[in-house]
Amino acid sequence: MPCVLVAQLSRSWRPWLLLWSLGMMVWTMSGCGRNLQTVRLSSGRDQSAYSRIGKQIQEIAPQVGLQVEDNFDSQGSQQNLERLLSRDVDFALVQLDVASEAMKKGEVVAVAMLTEEYLHIVSQDAVSIQDFAELQGKTVDIGAPGSGINFTASRLFRATNLTIQPKTGDSLERFTDKTLDAIVYVGPLKASVQVREKLRQSAGLKFVPLSLSFINYLTLQFPESYRKAYIPQGTYKPLPALPSVDILTISTGGALLTRPDVPRETVALMAWTIFSNARQFASFYSKLAMENGAMNLYEGLLYVHPGAIQAYQSGDPRVAWLKYLRENTPLQAASIMLLTTTSIGFLLRGWRKRKTGKIIKGHRQVIAELQAQLTTDPRYALQETENLQQQYRLMLIEGNLSPDLYQRIDNMNEILVQQCRNEINRQQDGNLNQIIADLTDLHDHNDQDWIIKHLQTCQKTYREMLINGHLDFQTYLSLYQMQLLLSTVLVNSVSLD
């Protein structure tokens, strides 16, 4: 009797249990009902480029269930790397030249490239310094100890036989210090609020370039760290331009790093939230603003954490129902597994299939409408098809379209693109053949007025073809010259008759 009763209750409650399970899954996938996982980040001092990146990460991290702690009290890359190695933090922003040796030893690995950092050497106009070699014997601020500026500047001067009088301190506060001959700064272009304001407000400053031979030496000596770069004219001030010309220099990447032992799931979540919000970091790394720019987060990095690779290759690492099973008691896990594994999977597959079918059906209807325009306006159809391709490409990048569905749609688009181009070429060939035939007909007439009027009609025809894009300019010129020649020859011939 109890067994029968349990069976009856099971049958009567099954729909409600299924709905409850679905609700729980949606609830957990939306981020409700779970505590944020706290991770620690070391970025930079307030208003620096690194602190702005750190604050941006803090803003987007809750999207994937992470809470980022950052005191914004770091001097920069060297101190950040030390904190990461000593396990004071889980993530750190570090210049690649600073992190190079630790990465080679396997002590740290990359999560994402977030900046392109340029070497700035700034001097007073009153000081006679035209290039890097003329810093010999000069007083140069090489940045605060613990900063990436200090590391890069020290490496540069060690790589030469120049003897300088180094000063260590806050470069950002000393652009107008008359006791200094030059200041070294390393950072993204215009990303630091303090640097941007100091350079904009200060008068009598100039940028000192590196020589091409020295840059070649550095890029060959440290190929994983440096590349040739330019600080464009007018980057920091348009009138008068600062710098006054393009400045030849070097740049190094700035990356978010972690340790190999930081949990794979945590790193995957961090990498995914940055990848899915890549354009928000474009002011620090301009390549992220390009089409498919998010790929620049990891391209070129040699040592990448497996969790980050997982996020870049497979997408969102969160599988909400599995996460829920791990975080609850065995009884809850067994109940949800029993109630949802088969039914939820079946419903999700059916939902995806219906969604895919609707997208394909709608796209086929759009394709049919554009194909109807082929004979009347193939250029319009081509433009609209290319716009569709761009929209679907963005949907793929943003994760709103699966790769296999995107491929099916793109194949349909490519077929229509080819049809449009074939029709455009066919119409152009037909129009050209008609014009040539019309010009050839002139030989059969002796009426001068009719010849002139016919030539004017032909000229009007291919002028309209040029305006409408049905004729390239070179062909138009050739036809115009042919018309002038025929006009002269035929009118003279009729006059003689």
Side-chain angles (χ1 to χ4, degrees):
M1 181 63 183
C3 294
V4 174
L5 180 60
V6 169
Q8 291 175 345
L9 288 173
S10 177
R11 285 192 295 271
S12 63
W13 281 92
R14 188 175 299 148
W16 296 103
L17 289 171
L18 180 58
L19 288 174
W20 173 81
S21 302
L22 281 169
M24 287 299 296
M25 189 174 76
V26 172
W27 186 49
T28 54
M29 288 182 72
S30 66
C32 301
R34 68 168 182 265
N35 295 325
L36 294 177
Q37 177 188 349
T38 300
V39 295
R40 296 159 298 170
L41 169 67
S42 185
S43 59
R45 294 179 309 158
D46 194 30
Q47 295 191 336
S48 68
Y50 274 13
S51 75
R52 292 179 59 202
I53 295 173
K55 290 174 182 177
Q56 188 65 54
I57 293 174
Q58 278 187 330
E59 289 180 8
I60 63 175
Q63 297 175 8
V64 294
L66 296 179
Q67 178 176 310
V68 177
E69 291 183 351
D70 189 343
N71 294 326
F72 302 110
D73 62 349
S74 171
Q75 288 294 336
S77 289
Q78 291 189 81
Q79 189 170 15
N80 290 345
L81 181 61
E82 291 171 2
R83 289 176 175 177
L84 185 61
L85 292 173
S86 62
R87 300 178 179 276
D88 294 329
V89 295
D90 306 297
F91 297 93
L93 292 169
V94 185
Q95 291 174 197
L96 289 184
D97 58 346
V98 175
S100 176
E101 291 304 315
M103 295 181 84
K104 290 177 182 177
K105 294 177 183 178
E107 297 173 334
V108 295
V109 286
V111 178
M113 180 89 79
L114 292 176
T115 70
E116 183 74 11
E117 308 201 27
Y118 294 75
L119 172 70
H120 302 58
I121 302 176
V122 183
S123 174
Q124 304 286 341
D125 263 337
V127 182
S128 179
I129 300 175
Q130 301 302 322
D131 59 37
F132 186 76
E134 293 182 6
L135 292 173
Q136 170 67 32
K138 297 294 192 292
T139 303
V140 182
D141 188 306
I142 59 173
S147 67
I149 298 171
N150 183 271
F151 178 92
T152 305
S154 300
R155 173 179 276 186
L156 289 180
F157 288 110
R158 283 199 305 270
T160 69
N161 57 359
L162 297 181
T163 301
I164 64 167
Q165 299 178 43
K167 297 290 184 181
T168 58
D170 187 356
S171 296
L172 305 182
E173 299 295 335
R174 302 179 68 175
F175 277 111
T176 56
D177 190 339
K178 301 298 183 181
T179 66
L180 295 172
D181 296 313
I183 293 170
V184 178
Y185 169 72
V186 181
L189 297 181
K190 300 185 72 174
S192 169
V193 176
Q194 287 181 315
V195 171
R196 188 169 65 240
E197 290 302 309
K198 287 285 185 181
L199 289 175
R200 186 178 63 83
Q201 297 171 3
S202 303
L205 297 179
K206 63 182 178 183
F207 281 67
V208 179
L210 300 185
S211 67
L212 184 59
S213 60
F214 187 35
I215 290 174
N216 290 338
Y217 170 79
L218 292 172
T219 54
L220 290 173
Q221 189 76 12
F222 310 102
E224 73 285 355
S225 299
Y226 303 119
R227 68 180 187 88
K228 183 174 75 172
Y230 290 91
I231 302 176
Q233 178 185 18
T235 295
Y236 290 96
K237 191 189 299 183
L239 292 173
L242 184 69
S244 57
V245 296
D246 291 351
I247 297 298
L248 186 60
T249 186
I250 57 171
S251 67
T252 185
L256 180 67
L257 304 185
T258 188
R259 294 185 308 277
D261 60 352
V262 173
R264 180 172 182 149
E265 182 186 54
T266 302
V267 177
L269 290 171
M270 179 65 78
W272 176 250
T273 193
I274 292 174
F275 183 84
S276 56
N277 295 276
R279 289 181 181 271
Q280 297 185 30
F281 295 89
S283 59
F284 311 104
Y285 189 23
S286 59
K287 289 183 178 180
L288 298 179
M290 300 165 56
E291 184 179 349
N292 297 328
M295 295 181 180
N296 291 296
L297 289 168
Y298 56 90
E299 284 191 351
L301 289 174
L302 298 180
Y303 310 97
V304 185
H305 194 286
I309 295 174
Q310 171 193 334
Y312 295 139
Q313 291 181 348
S314 304
D316 193 336
R318 293 166 295 175
V319 183
W321 65 275
L322 286 177
K323 185 175 180 64
Y324 186 80
L325 293 181
R326 288 197 300 270
E327 293 177 350
N328 288 272
T329 64
L331 179 60
Q332 291 172 316
S335 300
I336 294 176
M337 181 68 77
L338 176 65
L339 292 168
T340 64
T341 299
T342 303
S343 55
I344 298 301
F346 176 77
L347 290 173
L348 285 176
R349 284 195 298 272
W351 176 77
R352 292 191 186 107
K353 185 176 181 180
R354 286 192 297 274
K355 182 181 178 182
T356 299
K358 288 182 180 179
I359 293 175
I360 291 293
K361 182 179 179 180
H363 187 65
R364 282 175 176 161
Q365 183 176 351
V366 173
I367 290 291
E369 292 173 357
L370 291 176
Q371 284 177 330
Q373 301 282 336
L374 271 180
T375 55
T376 57
D377 196 349
R379 291 184 179 275
Y380 169 78
L382 177 61
Q383 181 180 353
E384 289 299 308
T385 306
E386 290 175 342
N387 290 340
L388 280 174
Q389 287 181 309
Q390 177 66 14
Q391 292 172 12
Y392 283 117
R393 193 176 295 117
L394 290 175
M395 289 175 64
L396 174 67
I397 294 170
E398 294 169 357
N400 297 327
L401 200 66
S402 63
D404 57 335
L405 181 54
Y406 170 78
Q407 191 61 52
R408 291 176 61 184
I409 292 174
D410 194 54
N411 290 338
M412 296 165 65
N413 288 335
E414 283 297 327
I415 292 172
L416 182 55
V417 166
Q418 190 59 47
Q419 290 175 342
C420 291
R421 289 172 177 163
N422 291 340
E423 181 60 23
I424 290 170
N425 292 335
R426 188 191 68 78
Q427 290 186 7
Q428 286 181 341
D429 291 343
N431 291 333
L432 287 174
N433 291 336
Q434 184 60 47
I435 290 174
I436 293 171
D438 289 343
L439 292 175
T440 305
D441 287 346
L442 294 173
H443 292 284
D444 299 330
H445 295 272
N446 295 322
D447 186 339
Q448 183 174 353
D449 291 337
W450 185 91
I451 290 173
I452 293 173
K453 184 177 181 180
H454 192 68
L455 287 171
Q456 290 173 345
T457 301
C458 290
Q459 183 181 7
K460 181 181 179 181
T461 299
Y462 54 76
R463 186 185 294 116
E464 290 176 352
M465 291 174 61
L466 174 66
I467 293 172
N468 294 329
H470 297 161
L471 198 67
D472 62 85
F473 188 70
Q474 188 60 44
T475 305
Y476 170 80
L477 287 178
S478 300
L479 289 170
Y480 186 73
Q481 291 169 356
M482 181 188 300
Q483 176 200 342
L484 290 177
L485 180 61
L486 285 171
S487 177
T488 304
V489 172
L490 292 174
V491 170
N492 289 340
S493 174
V494 170
S495 299
L496 289 174
D497 291 342

